[in-house]
Amino acid sequence: MLDTKDFNFFEKHNSFDFKGFLFRIIAYWKWFVLSLVITFVYAYNVNIRKESMYGMESLIVIEDQNNPFFTSNTSLVFNWGGTSDKVQTIITSLKSRSHNEVVVDKLQYYIKYLKKGEYFFKDAYGEVPFYVEIDKEKGQLFSKLIKIKFLSPSQYRLTVDFGEETSASVIQYSDVIIKPVNVSGGEFSKVFKINEAVDLPFLNMKLIIKPEAFDFTNQEYYIRFDDFNQTVTSYRSIDVIADAKATSVVRLQLEGPNKHRLVEYLNTTVEVLRGAQLESKNLFANNTINFIDSTLKEMEGQIKDAENELKEFRRGKNIFELEGEASGGLLSTKLSSYDVEKDVINRKIAYYNLLKNYLEKTTDYSKLPAPTVAGIDDPNVIANVSRLIALSAERANLAYSVKNKKMFSDFDVEMESIKKVLLENIVSSKSALTLNLSLINKNIAKAEAEASLLPENKQEHIKITRKYNLKDKIYSTFLEKRSEAEIVKAANISDIKFLDPAKDIGGGLKGPKTSINYILAAFLGILIPLLIVFVVVLLDNNINNLEDIQKMTNIPIIGVIGKKNTKNNLSVFEKSKSPLAESFRAIRSSLQFMYKKQKQNEGAKILMLTSSVSGEGKTFCSINLATVFALSDKKTVIVGLDLRKPRIFGDFNIDNISGVVNYLIGQKTIDEVVQKTHIPFLDVIPSGPIPPNPSELLMGESMYEMMEELKTKYDYIVLDTPPVGLVSDALELAQFCDATIYVTRQGFTKKGMLSVVNEKHKRGELHNISILFNGFSTNVKYGYGYAYGYGYGVYGEGYHDEPIEPKGIKKIIADIKNKFIKK
C-alpha cells in the first residue's frame, strides 16, 4: 500500500528552484554582457542612422463673429450652426482630402528638396538656396532623384542616373497623370543657367535662386517629384484635437523630418481654411450680389428705354400743361405707388416660385440668393433657407473626405425636413401675397378708371411716367440691396482665429528618442538572455548541483569529486596532494566510518561502484578510491565486473587477455588472473574477454567462490560494475557488497534516473548505498553547489603538488606585478 511519503519525490521535483535559477543567471553573465553589447550597438546605430522626426503645433480658436451690420433686413450671413457644430466641421475639413489637396497644391509639397547625408537623404526644405517653378501642363520625372550641383552663382549641372533603363515615368500635375517616356539610359548630365527654362522630354522646370541665398557654389542638392495623391494622404494624418476644457479651442499637431515644412504647412492649412470659411460665410452676400447684378444688367436697358420714351413724348409739348392739373399729378403719384407695391408682391411671388423650383428639382442649394433680395422678411423662411444652404455646403465638403453613409443620410433627413417646412411656408405666404395682389390690382383699376376721364395727352403721359417711375424705383431698390450686401460682405470676418501660430523656437524633437532606445536596449539586452536561461533551466533535466540530488532522493551523499586534472584516470596517484585526491580521501574516511558503524572493522571490505548509464565516471572513481586505499598501505584489488564494456585495464598498461571471465568459466585461478600494478598494494583483475552470457556468469557459484577467495587475500575489494540503469548485473553483485556507491555526474546524469535507484533502494535490492557527485565544477553554468565538508578543497583550496597558474585577467595582473618586482 502506498504511503504519503512516496509522493515527496514528485513534490520536490515539481517545485521551481528560484535560488538555483538566480545562480544559473549569474553563471551565464557572459551571455548577458554579449547581449547588452549587441543591443546597445544596435540602438546606437538606430539613433545615428534614423532620420530625426519633429513635432510642431498651432492653436486656433473658433468664435461666433457676428456682423456689426447684421439686421433682420440684411440677413446675408452664412449659418454654420452652433459652436460645437463649427468645431466639428472645422476638424473634419482640416483632415479632408479636398482641403489638403488645396494646401499641398498651393505649397507644391510634392516637390522634395533633399541633401545627401551620411546615412540617408535629408529633407532640406527651407535650407536649399533655390526653388523650382514647374509647368504643371508638362511632365516631370517621377520619383527619381535629380542631382543639382552649382558650378557658379549663375550655372548648375543637372544630373540624372537612369542606369540601364530605357524608359522613365513622368507625372503631369495638372491632372496627376503618370505616363512613360523614352530615355537613352545611363547618366544624363547637362549644364543650365539659373532662371533658364529646362525643356526636356522628362523634365520641364526653371531653377530660381532665393534672394537671401549666398555661398552655394560647388554645393550639391537633390530634387524629387513625388506622387500628388500620396503627398496629400501623408498630410491628412495631421492631428486635430478640440480642447477638453475649452471646446472652441483646437490644437493642430503635425510630425515630420523638416521643421520648416511643418510650420509652413500648419499655418497655411489654417489660412486656407479661414479663406474657405469666410467665403462660405459670404455665400448669401455673393449669391445676392450676383443675382442683383444680373437683374440690374437686364434693367439698365429697360429703364433707358423708358427714359427715352418719356423724353420723346415730352418733346415739343408743354410740360407744365401736362403736369399742371392737380388731379392729374396726384393720380400719377397714386398709380406709381400702387405699381411699386405690386412689383414688391410680384418679386416675392417670383422668389417663392424660384425657391419651390429649387426644392423640387435640385439637390444643391448653395447658390440660392437671400430671401431679403425680394423683400421677404419672414424670419422662418430666412432661417430655414440659411440652414438649408449651410447643410448643402457642408455635405458637399464631406463628400470628399467621409465615407460614412449614415452621416450623409442624417444630412439628407434634416434637409428633407427643412424642405417640407419651406414648401409649407411657400404655400401660406403665396396665398397671403395673392390676396394682397388682388387688392392692389383693384386699387390700380380704380385709379386707372379715374385717369381715363383725363385728356388723351395726359393719359399717355401718366402711362409713360408710371412705367419710368416703376423701373427707376426697382432699379434704386436693387442698388440699395446690393449696397447692403457689399457692406455685409466687407464687414464679415472669419470665425477662425490664430491663438498660437506654428513657429520653430527650437526643440520639438519627437524621435528617435535616444534615451528611450538605450533604455529599451538595456531591457532587451537583459530580457533576451534571461528568457534563454529560463528555457534552458526549464528544459534542463540533468543533475547540476547537490540540491538537485537532495530534492530527488533521501539517499545520503558520500562525497563530491571535482573534475579530472590528469590525462589518465590515475589522478590520485599522480597528484596525491591535489584537491581531487583530498576529495577521494574524504570519501575513504566516510566509508571507514560507515564500516565502523556497521561493526565491520575486521576482515575484507567489499565496495561496489555503479551508476545510471555509461560515461558518469564510475571507472574513474573506482580506480582512484582503490588508489587511496592502497596508498594507506591496505592491500586493495579492483575487480572489473563490467563484462560487456571492459575499460579498467587501460590506465595501468596491462592487457585484458584473461580476467574475471576466465576464472568464472574455470580456465584460470585467482593468482593467474590477478595483475600487479605500478601502484604499491594495488592489484587489478580485468574483466577478460567479452562473454555471450555475462549475467549468467555473475549469478553462478564461481562468483561466490571468487569473492570468498579475494577476502582472504585483500583488505579492500573494489567492484567496478555495469550501470544499474542499463543492465541488472550490478543487482546480482549487491549481495556480496558491504557498501554501494552510486556515481552521478554533474550536467550528465538525468534526474529521472534517481527514481530508479530510489525504487531499488526501497525494495532492498541495493543496501548501504550512498551517492557520489562526480565532475563537480563551480565554473560551469549549473548554478551553485555545496562542499558540505566532504574533504579538503572541493573548491580548490587544499593541498597542491604545484601552484595553480592564474588565468585571464588574473594572469595579466600577475605578469604586471612580476615586471614591477623585477625592476
Side-chain angles (χ1 to χ4, degrees):
M1 186 173 181
L2 289 175
D3 192 89
T4 55
K5 295 180 180 178
D6 296 333
F7 295 95
N8 290 340
F9 160 73
F10 297 102
E11 293 174 2
K12 293 178 181 178
H13 181 70
N14 291 329
S15 62
F16 185 77
D17 185 5
F18 289 101
K19 189 175 181 181
F21 180 64
L22 178 62
F23 275 90
R24 188 74 75 91
I25 291 174
I26 296 172
Y28 280 95
W29 66 269
K30 292 181 181 179
W31 285 27
F32 286 87
V33 171
L34 178 62
S35 177
L36 286 170
V37 169
I38 293 173
T39 53
F40 270 94
V41 169
Y42 180 78
Y44 171 76
N45 278 275
V46 168
N47 287 339
I48 63 173
R49 292 175 183 272
K50 194 172 182 180
E51 192 172 14
S52 298
M53 296 296 291
Y54 299 92
M56 295 286 116
E57 68 175 27
S58 64
L59 287 175
I60 60 174
V61 62
I62 292 92
E63 300 176 338
D64 281 320
Q65 297 291 348
N66 293 324
N67 195 312
F69 292 95
F70 170 76
T71 66
S72 61
N73 293 324
T74 56
S75 181
L76 303 174
V77 292
F78 187 78
N79 182 12
W80 280 57
T83 303
S84 60
D85 291 336
K86 289 183 182 179
V87 171
Q88 292 302 319
T89 301
I90 287 172
I91 290 175
T92 304
S93 298
L94 286 169
K95 297 175 73 70
S96 68
R97 183 181 61 82
S98 56
H99 170 77
N100 284 279
E101 280 182 351
V102 174
V103 181
V104 168
D105 186 61
K106 182 177 181 179
L107 296 173
Q108 292 191 346
Y109 271 9
Y110 44 80
I111 305 176
K112 294 295 188 294
Y113 298 89
L114 307 169
K115 191 172 184 179
K116 190 174 183 180
E118 186 177 359
Y119 300 108
F120 52 82
F121 283 93
K122 176 187 175 184
D123 186 348
Y125 182 81
E127 300 176 18
V128 295
F130 66 94
Y131 64 92
V132 295
E133 288 184 354
I134 63 171
D135 187 348
K136 294 184 180 181
E137 300 296 329
K138 295 182 179 180
Q140 314 296 336
L141 184 61
F142 177 64
S143 191
K144 203 169 190 66
L145 289 175
I146 302 169
K147 183 178 177 181
I148 304 292
K149 182 175 183 180
F150 289 97
L151 306 177
S152 69
S154 60
Q155 286 186 325
Y156 66 93
R157 181 181 298 277
L158 188 148
T159 306
V160 182
D161 186 8
F162 291 105
E164 298 180 358
E165 298 176 2
T166 57
S167 66
S169 297
V170 295
I171 184 169
Q172 190 172 300
Y173 286 109
S174 60
D175 49 13
V176 198
I177 292 178
I178 299 175
K179 56 185 178 182
V181 295
N182 295 326
V183 294
S184 58
E187 183 179 86
F188 172 86
S189 182
K190 189 175 180 180
V191 177
F192 292 92
K193 292 181 180 180
I194 304 297
N195 295 331
E196 179 185 357
V198 178
D199 188 8
L200 298 171
F202 55 86
L203 193 62
N204 296 272
M205 71 172 198
K206 184 187 292 185
L207 189 145
I208 301 172
I209 298 295
K210 295 179 180 178
E212 66 273 14
F214 68 96
D215 192 22
F216 51 84
T217 304
N218 295 323
Q219 294 293 320
E220 292 183 357
Y221 300 94
Y222 295 82
I223 60 174
R224 188 182 67 222
F225 295 94
D226 288 346
D227 182 68
F228 179 83
N229 292 324
Q230 289 182 358
T231 305
V232 171
T233 301
S234 66
Y235 283 102
R236 288 184 66 188
S237 62
I238 184 172
D239 198 6
V240 187
I241 306 171
D243 193 280
K245 296 181 179 179
T247 55
S248 61
V249 176
V250 176
R251 185 183 304 273
L252 283 71
Q253 295 176 326
L254 192 61
E255 293 186 6
N258 185 285
K259 292 196 284 186
H260 189 275
R261 188 186 291 271
L262 297 176
V263 168
E264 193 173 67
Y265 195 89
L266 284 172
N267 292 334
T268 304
T269 193
V270 174
E271 290 296 342
V272 169
L273 185 63
R274 289 181 68 184
Q277 192 263 345
L278 186 57
E279 183 180 351
S280 297
K281 197 172 184 180
N282 288 330
L283 192 59
F284 258 15
N286 288 328
N287 289 349
T288 302
I289 291 170
N290 293 334
F291 178 80
I292 291 174
D293 285 344
S294 63
T295 304
L296 289 176
K297 187 176 182 180
E298 182 180 346
M299 289 193 64
E300 282 178 356
Q302 295 178 4
I303 197 171
K304 190 173 183 180
D305 291 341
E307 184 180 8
N308 291 335
E309 185 179 358
L310 182 60
K311 287 180 179 180
E312 186 66 29
F313 179 78
R314 288 179 174 180
R315 186 176 296 162
K317 294 183 177 63
N318 189 345
I319 300 300
F320 294 103
E321 182 182 349
L322 294 174
E323 297 179 352
E325 189 176 343
S327 60
L330 292 174
L331 192 59
S332 177
T333 303
K334 186 187 295 186
L335 284 170
S336 295
S337 175
Y338 290 154
D339 287 338
V340 171
E341 291 181 26
K342 181 179 179 181
D343 180 72
V344 170
I345 294 173
N346 285 330
R347 278 193 289 114
K348 289 181 179 181
I349 293 174
Y351 181 85
Y352 282 128
N353 290 333
L354 173 67
L355 180 58
K356 183 179 179 182
N357 186 59
Y358 259 95
L359 295 177
E360 293 178 345
K361 295 184 178 180
T362 64
T363 57
D364 181 15
Y365 312 109
S366 60
K367 296 182 180 181
L368 272 174
T372 52
V373 75
I376 297 173
D377 54 6
D378 186 342
N380 292 328
V381 175
I382 293 173
N384 286 329
V385 170
S386 175
R387 184 58 182 158
L388 192 62
I389 294 175
L391 290 172
S392 180
E394 189 175 350
R395 190 186 189 283
N397 288 331
L398 290 175
Y400 293 102
S401 57
V402 178
K403 304 300 180 185
N404 190 339
K405 292 183 178 179
K406 183 180 181 304
M407 182 176 288
F408 289 127
S409 64
D410 292 341
F411 272 102
D412 294 338
V413 169
E414 186 175 357
M415 291 167 67
E416 190 64 30
S417 63
I418 294 174
K419 283 167 58 177
K420 289 180 180 179
V421 173
L422 279 174
L423 289 172
E424 291 176 1
N425 289 337
I426 290 171
V427 172
S428 60
S429 297
K430 283 182 67 176
S431 298
L433 289 173
T434 303
L435 180 61
N436 292 336
L437 183 60
S438 63
L439 294 175
I440 293 295
N441 286 332
K442 288 179 180 180
N443 291 333
I444 291 174
K446 185 177 179 181
E448 286 179 345
E450 293 178 8
S452 63
L453 300 176
L454 296 175
E456 186 175 348
N457 283 344
K458 287 187 178 184
Q459 290 184 37
E460 188 66 23
H461 182 262
I462 291 174
K463 180 179 178 182
I464 296 173
T465 302
R466 282 176 61 193
K467 184 188 298 185
Y468 173 77
N469 288 340
L470 178 60
K471 300 294 182 183
D472 184 62
K473 184 64 178 178
I474 294 173
Y475 193 83
S476 299
T477 301
F478 275 109
L479 283 177
E480 182 182 348
K481 293 293 183 181
R482 192 183 191 285
S483 296
E484 289 178 1
E486 288 286 359
I487 292 172
V488 170
K489 180 179 177 182
N492 272 339
I493 57 176
S494 176
D495 292 339
I496 303 171
K497 180 183 177 182
F498 268 120
L499 272 184
D500 192 6
K503 185 178 181 181
D504 180 14
I505 56 175
L509 181 65
K510 294 293 184 181
K513 294 289 188 180
T514 56
S515 57
I516 293 178
N517 286 346
Y518 285 129
I519 292 172
L520 187 61
F523 176 74
L524 292 176
I526 294 173
L527 179 63
I528 292 172
L530 186 65
L531 291 175
I532 294 174
V533 172
F534 180 75
V535 172
V536 169
V537 171
L538 200 63
L539 299 180
D540 186 10
N541 194 35
N542 296 327
I543 295 175
N544 298 315
N545 50 58
L546 291 174
E547 246 190 25
D548 289 342
I549 299 175
Q550 291 170 338
K551 288 179 179 179
M552 304 294 294
T553 182
N554 291 323
I555 298 173
I557 301 172
I558 197 169
V560 179
I561 303 298
K563 284 195 171 184
K564 184 172 67 173
N565 53 13
T566 56
K567 293 182 179 179
N568 55 32
N569 287 327
L570 304 177
S571 298
V572 172
F573 180 74
E574 293 188 1
K575 294 185 177 182
S576 61
K577 293 184 179 180
S578 66
L580 189 69
E582 294 300 327
S583 299
F584 280 107
R585 289 188 179 97
I587 295 173
R588 179 189 64 187
S589 300
S590 299
L591 286 171
Q592 289 174 346
F593 177 79
M594 185 186 299
Y595 293 142
K596 184 178 180 180
K597 188 176 181 181
Q598 295 175 357
K599 298 179 181 181
Q600 296 179 358
N601 295 329
E602 301 297 329
K605 285 85 174 176
I606 301 176
L607 175 65
M608 182 178 76
L609 281 85
T610 186
S611 64
S612 302
V613 292
S614 179
E616 291 172 311
K618 173 175 52 62
T619 299
F620 167 75
C621 293
S622 299
I623 291 173
N624 285 284
L625 271 175
T627 300
V628 295
F629 287 133
L631 291 177
S632 61
D633 298 337
K634 299 294 183 180
K635 294 184 66 176
T636 307
V637 62
I638 304 174
V639 184
L641 294 178
D642 191 352
L643 306 184
R644 293 175 173 81
K645 199 174 182 181
R647 288 183 178 179
I648 204 165
F649 57 90
D651 294 290
F652 297 101
N653 295 321
I654 59 178
D655 59 64
N656 192 39
I657 297 174
S658 61
V660 174
V661 175
N662 301 93
Y663 177 85
L664 294 178
I665 63 177
Q667 290 182 349
K668 301 282 184 179
T669 63
I670 285 292
D671 294 333
E672 290 175 331
V673 295
V674 172
Q675 299 190 42
K676 301 291 182 180
T677 67
H678 59 286
I679 301 175
F681 298 101
L682 181 60
D683 295 338
V684 175
I685 302 177
S687 60
I690 299 174
N693 55 344
S695 295
E696 287 72 14
L697 287 176
L698 295 177
M699 292 171 61
E701 187 68 24
S702 299
M703 185 65 199
Y704 178 81
E705 294 174 356
M706 185 179 74
M707 289 292 106
E708 291 298 321
E709 190 171 353
L710 289 176
K711 286 181 180 181
T712 62
K713 294 179 179 289
Y714 295 96
D715 297 316
Y716 287 96
I717 302 167
V718 179
L719 306 182
D720 181 34
T721 64
V724 71
L726 299 178
V727 293
S728 62
D729 296 0
L731 298 177
E732 304 297 338
L733 298 171
Q735 58 181 318
F736 303 110
C737 302
D738 299 312
T740 301
I741 293 180
Y742 183 80
V743 180
T744 60
R745 181 178 171 186
Q746 186 182 45
F748 188 87
T749 304
K750 303 297 180 184
K751 294 178 181 178
M753 296 304 298
L754 290 179
S755 61
V756 177
V757 180
N758 283 335
E759 187 66 25
K760 296 184 183 302
H761 177 57
K762 287 180 181 179
R763 292 177 182 175
E765 297 177 14
L766 294 173
H767 59 279
N768 289 339
I769 185 170
S770 302
I771 294 178
L772 187 150
F773 192 34
N774 182 36
F776 176 77
S777 173
T778 57
N779 295 327
V780 294
K781 303 175 180 63
Y782 299 133
Y784 57 94
Y786 305 96
Y788 287 102
Y790 296 126
Y792 299 98
V794 173
Y795 296 95
E797 297 295 333
Y799 302 103
H800 300 280
D801 289 329
E802 55 189 45
I804 298 175
E805 291 292 331
K807 297 180 180 180
I809 297 176
K810 292 182 179 180
K811 186 176 186 305
I812 296 172
I813 295 173
D815 291 341
I816 294 172
K817 287 181 178 179
N818 292 334
K819 288 181 181 178
F820 279 105
I821 291 172
K822 288 180 181 179
K823 289 182 179 180

